Amino acid sequence: MRLKAPSDGCVVRMYRHGLGDCFLLAFGTKNKEQKYVLIDCGVLLGTEDATSVMKQVVSDIREATGGHLDILVTTHEHWDHISGFMQAQEEFNKIAVDQVWFSWTEDPKNPLARELRNRRKLALDTLGLALKRLHTSQSMYAARIQGIWEFFGTELGAASFRTEEALDWIKKKWTDHRYCKPGDEPLTITGLPNVRFFVLGPPTDRKYIRKNSPVKGEVYLGDRPGSELGLYLKVLGTFETPERRFPDQRDEGAPFNPAYVCNPNEHTISDLYERYRSEKWRTIDTDWLGTAGELALQLDAHTNNTSLVLAIELSPGGHVLLFPGDAQVGNWLSWDDVTWSGKYNQVTAQDLLSRTVLYKVGHHGSHNSTLKEKGLERMTSSELAALIPVNRKMAVKKKWRMPYKPLWDRLAELTSGRVVLSDQGLPSANGNDSLKEFLQVYTETELFIDIKIKGQS
Amino acid sequence: MRKFRSETASPYNIPRPPFRRLRIYSIDPSLAHSLETIEIREARIELPWESSPDDEKHDGPAPGPRGEYLDIIDYDPSTDAFYKPVDLNDPYLLAQDGLAPSDGNPQFHQQMVYAVAMRTIRNFEVALGRRALWAPRRWVDESGAYREEYVSQLRIYPHALREANAYYSPEKKALLFGYFQAAPTDVTDHLPGGVVFTCLSHDVVAHETAHALLDGMHRRLTEPSNPDVLAFHEAFADVVALFQHFSLPDVVRHQISKTRGDLKADNLLAKLAREFGRAIGRTDALRSAIGKTPDPAMIDRVTEPHERGAILVAAVFDAFLAIYNRRTADLFRLATHGSGMLPEGAIHPDLVSRLSTEAAKAAQHVLTICIRALDYLPPVDVTFGDYLRALITADFDLVPNDSLGYRVAFMEAFRRRGIYPRDVRTLSEESLIWEGSNLTSNIENPQIILGSDVKLQMQNWNLSGLRQDIYHKLKEAREEAHTIIERTRHYKERLIKGLDFERKFEVHSIRPVRRSGPDGQLLLDMVVEITQRTPGFLDLPLGQCQKDLQSNQGPDFWFRGGCTLIVDLETGKLRYCIYKDINSERRYDRQRAFVDGMSAAPSLSETYFGITGYRERDEVFAFVHRIRGEENKCD
């Protein structure tokens, strides 16, 4: 069945496929045509029957749009936003896409983007190596780190990262690409002149992508080749090769003159080895890899911060839909610096936030992806509603705090109960009269939830 | 094993020296670049002269160094290399107080770690009047039974990690130190690109050793049941390191002469406190706590263990300053002829000497009070307020007449930082001292509760004697005590609070503690910790937990309660009963809220790793050290 939005209005369809983002937006035009935008399509690695679920979702997309998408938006390179392009390729083959929007960090011609991607690759490789070794120690910590690793859609030991593969597939299949930068002239779709897409992020200033206040002595994304990450990788790498360092061989990773290193053949040191090896519970062979956890987190934050953030204005000066991907602190904080030129020079992030009537909550409702003071608290519209694409069972299974309860509570307050979770629907609707009005624009099926947003003429 | 004492010795035996001197870096070498600090870069410290761990007749630690308390194995897993162990008995080394301090010689690193750790242990032992024991190794074997094994030596790995981190591992009973390349931006402090070794920082080594010593006394303090628990561990370790640093005489002397005796916040010693931990890239929590005007509201806002701990450290530091100022007031009056204004320029070296002595004394006293207070804590769920009460009570037991105003200094300092015990109406000495001193009921004869020769065992646990024997005897004493308490339960219920004797309980620990009698004589008390636990669930109130035990899933957390009894060994009188009620709904709800993270504002790491998983997460201290709460916070 075709998805139809009222003219001047739109319908936002949130798919209920699991822990992941997949949003289909339909805009109605004056001449009864429909314009369709798909923002992300993916589900977390390890979701049960992921492939068949995604096929189902994409089939529905095809049906709803008549096999034609005006715009496809991929916010960032995480599996739970992009897996559908690997799992449901057959179905996507039957859908035509006019243009694909990426964040500027995907632009092969942008030097900063290239640098960021290279560094990320380095970090990913390092993390992979570290995880492989950690697994031999069977630490529970390793399992948790792996959960973060899985955002890149890869099993340990796989040759490439499937998120990368997915992006490549998208780029090859639909060749009209646009790399969006904040501050660019707001985008529109032909035939839909009043709807404007403002790009708020990701920031082009690298300090926002990394973090706000670097902590001294941190191990990560060192700027220079001799930096900690490089060294770490080198050391990990040399571990993989069978030839070991001998006392007389120079090793850049070694902190001391080789003369101080015990020669394994010297018999006088044999009791030292014995003592170390005999008490297995006290050995430290893999403890040094514990920093992998930190690396994983930083990698995750970094990738999230490169999310493409769209504020969709339904009409000039009118309602706004906010889709921030999984943007985190750094990304949000940079929005205040974004300015537009020409006739849009009055528009600011604060202004857009104050007109937001639909907020797609970032990172499945985790704590770090909704900025409080300069973010949530600026969403002052009395019609605000929030969508949280989350699967609590999955989050609990992974022991992740999603959605973060105080955030959820605050959202409920600000929206007067209009918080929709993809797994539960509208929990506050039970016996709640104040939601009567909202329920009129709310449709729920097993596969998706639709929110209708009327025009403001 | 090198035997350098000739068997045909002189006619009379030269007694073994009580101390061995070793050279260390007193200031982190990567920090000490300015000419200003060059004179105090190195120090020589004294540590007990050990016998060989393998054979008492032989001298000194084995190569490693490996002694009775410590076993240093210099294995570097990232390069899969063992570095050659140092033999501290080499006559060349004995003649020079050990190796000369050097970044590039791993043997010096081994020496440094050994020296600072041994000194820390010694300070502990002297403060408590008994030998230090490490936490025993506990595990569950294949049949599901709990096993416990004595751990003789703390393992130390000076080059274990490749990161700006160092931690104590409760699982491995080991200290792991990291090394890393200084980030290129840190030009002011570290040589850019140079390697920084955390094992060369006196403060870091002392800090980590203190964690291990604390774990040896209070095992349950690694289980966070409220936001203070892990913060306390960090704060206590910081206090030990800080005040031990003040006991390096040249450092103190140098500082006092530079600042003309004014030890207020912005001078090197406090700067040391603030820079403390910078070597390992920790957040500047201490800097924000010490040196600024105390903010009593901060304690309600801050939950990250280091930040929270910094408040406690700052309070202790304030108390120390007050004590130092009081002790030196007359010296200043003398030196300034009452005017309060010292003459321009450098102060008289005699004055420097006297002030340094006072500073060192004050530091030593404060450290001793802080260590002794550990015996006066409840066995579980410790809070900062509990620690304040423990400090006051412990000091009262040793120095009944507070003529120097030490306790007032502590109370005042804690008050200004907003640290209050729950359920105490006023911050006065009488209300802070633990209850029990006015209990009229007697446990008539300690032998009734606690076994036949427990008094002898308490007396035997002093500064000599074999640690392994002490451990085993105490284990027996605990088991015996358990049997006796079980048999005479109804009798105890009137005296021993906090426990529900319908359920299983554990005699967690028994130890001796010293105090001053009314005639100034040194008396011996006995500390008995009794604990029990009940399963806790995030969505069930306390009353239902026992009934609805979902045995297949396991509880969300363990709710623990119990009491610390302090008993006069002579009369058998129960002097204090410091308890945490196992049946307290309010306390249960507080822990439940904490575990559920309502009160914590998580960083990204806590989103993924979560404090709730503390039971499963290995290496709680490594993790605490790695959470850098600043960067990913949203509010």
Side-chain angles (χ1 to χ4, degrees), chain B residues 213-231:
Chain B
L213 287 163
L214 183 55
D215 191 34
M217 282 180 70
H218 286 286
R219 197 173 21 111
R220 299 262 176 245
L221 281 182
T222 54
E223 293 177 15
S225 53
N226 67 60
D228 283 349
V229 174
L230 289 183

Side-chain angles (χ1 to χ4, degrees), chain A residues 105-378:
Chain A
T105 54
E106 295 300 326
D107 187 355
K109 299 205 188 77
N110 183 315
L112 179 57
R114 265 206 310 273
E115 194 192 317
L116 288 174
R117 293 179 69 70
N118 285 341
R119 281 207 268 140
R120 189 169 70 189
K121 188 94 194 349
L122 180 67
L124 271 175
D125 286 340
T126 309
L127 192 56
L129 279 174
L131 265 180
K132 235 162 78 176
R133 293 196 57 80
L134 260 180
H135 260 277
T136 59
S137 74
Q138 294 170 326
S139 99
M140 259 176 263
Y141 184 53
R144 297 286 193 100
I145 301 178
Q146 177 140 352
I148 303 176
W149 165 270
E150 282 169 356
F151 275 116
F152 293 94
T154 305
E155 267 90 41
L156 221 47
S160 66
F161 293 98
R162 293 170 73 205
T163 48
E164 212 177 316
E165 274 178 48
L167 268 181
D168 284 342
W169 188 85
I170 295 173
K171 286 182 180 170
K172 283 210 189 72
K173 179 131 182 67
W174 302 295
T175 51
D176 188 358
H177 305 153
R178 177 175 221 109
Y179 299 101
C180 307
K181 266 210 192 109
D184 279 353
E185 172 126 350
L187 303 160
T188 54
I189 306 176
T190 35
L192 201 57
N194 283 337
V195 175
R196 284 194 278 270
F197 294 77
F198 289 86
V199 178
L200 280 172
T204 49
D205 186 341
R206 68 169 70 202
K207 77 168 189 276
Y208 282 120
I209 296 187
R210 295 183 57 183
K211 36 186 86 157
N212 281 326
S213 47
V215 175
K216 291 196 171 69
E218 60 180 85
V219 179
Y220 177 55
L221 292 183
D223 289 313
R224 253 136 279 190
S227 72
E228 193 51 47
L229 184 65
L231 201 58
Y232 193 67
L233 180 60
K234 193 174 198 326
V235 171
L236 269 171
T238 54
F239 237 62
E240 296 298 308
T241 58
E243 339 121 32
R244 297 295 191 79
R245 290 117 285 118
F246 294 106
D248 47 301
Q249 259 190 328
R250 283 239 118 212
D251 176 9
E252 274 165 56
F256 299 114
N257 191 313
Y260 289 114
V261 179
C262 290
N263 189 328
N265 301 323
E266 256 178 63
H267 66 95
T268 46
I269 326 275
S270 60
D271 63 324
L272 182 64
Y273 294 152
E274 249 317 291
R275 225 166 64 233
Y276 176 70
R277 295 270 164 232
S278 60
E279 286 185 291
K280 278 203 164 49
W281 60 282
R282 297 179 108 169
T283 53
I284 53 162
D285 298 331
T286 51
D287 287 64
W288 68 288
L289 296 169
T291 199
E294 169 115 349
L295 187 57
L297 288 173
Q298 293 178 347
L299 195 53
D300 189 63
H302 176 275
T303 307
N304 281 337
N305 263 342
T306 60
S307 288
L308 174 61
V309 178
L310 291 176
I312 307 173
E313 205 188 37
L314 291 179
S315 59
H319 289 325
V320 169
L321 315 174
L322 183 64
F323 282 83
D326 280 352
Q328 293 191 276
V329 186
N331 194 321
W332 283 72
L333 285 173
S334 71
W335 300 350
D336 274 343
D337 290 349
V338 183
T339 52
W340 288 272
S341 54
K343 59 175 165 159
Y344 304 108
N345 59 3
Q346 294 303 316
V347 180
T348 61
Q350 180 156 7
D351 168 43
L352 290 167
L353 286 172
S354 68
R355 294 188 271 134
T356 300
V357 298
L358 186 92
Y359 167 43
K360 196 279 312 178
V361 180
H363 203 224
H364 322 290
S366 81
H367 172 65
N368 327 64
S369 288
T370 300
L371 194 63
K372 202 163 158 228
E373 239 178 80
K374 293 206 175 157
L376 191 57
E377 300 302 324
R378 283 177 171 177

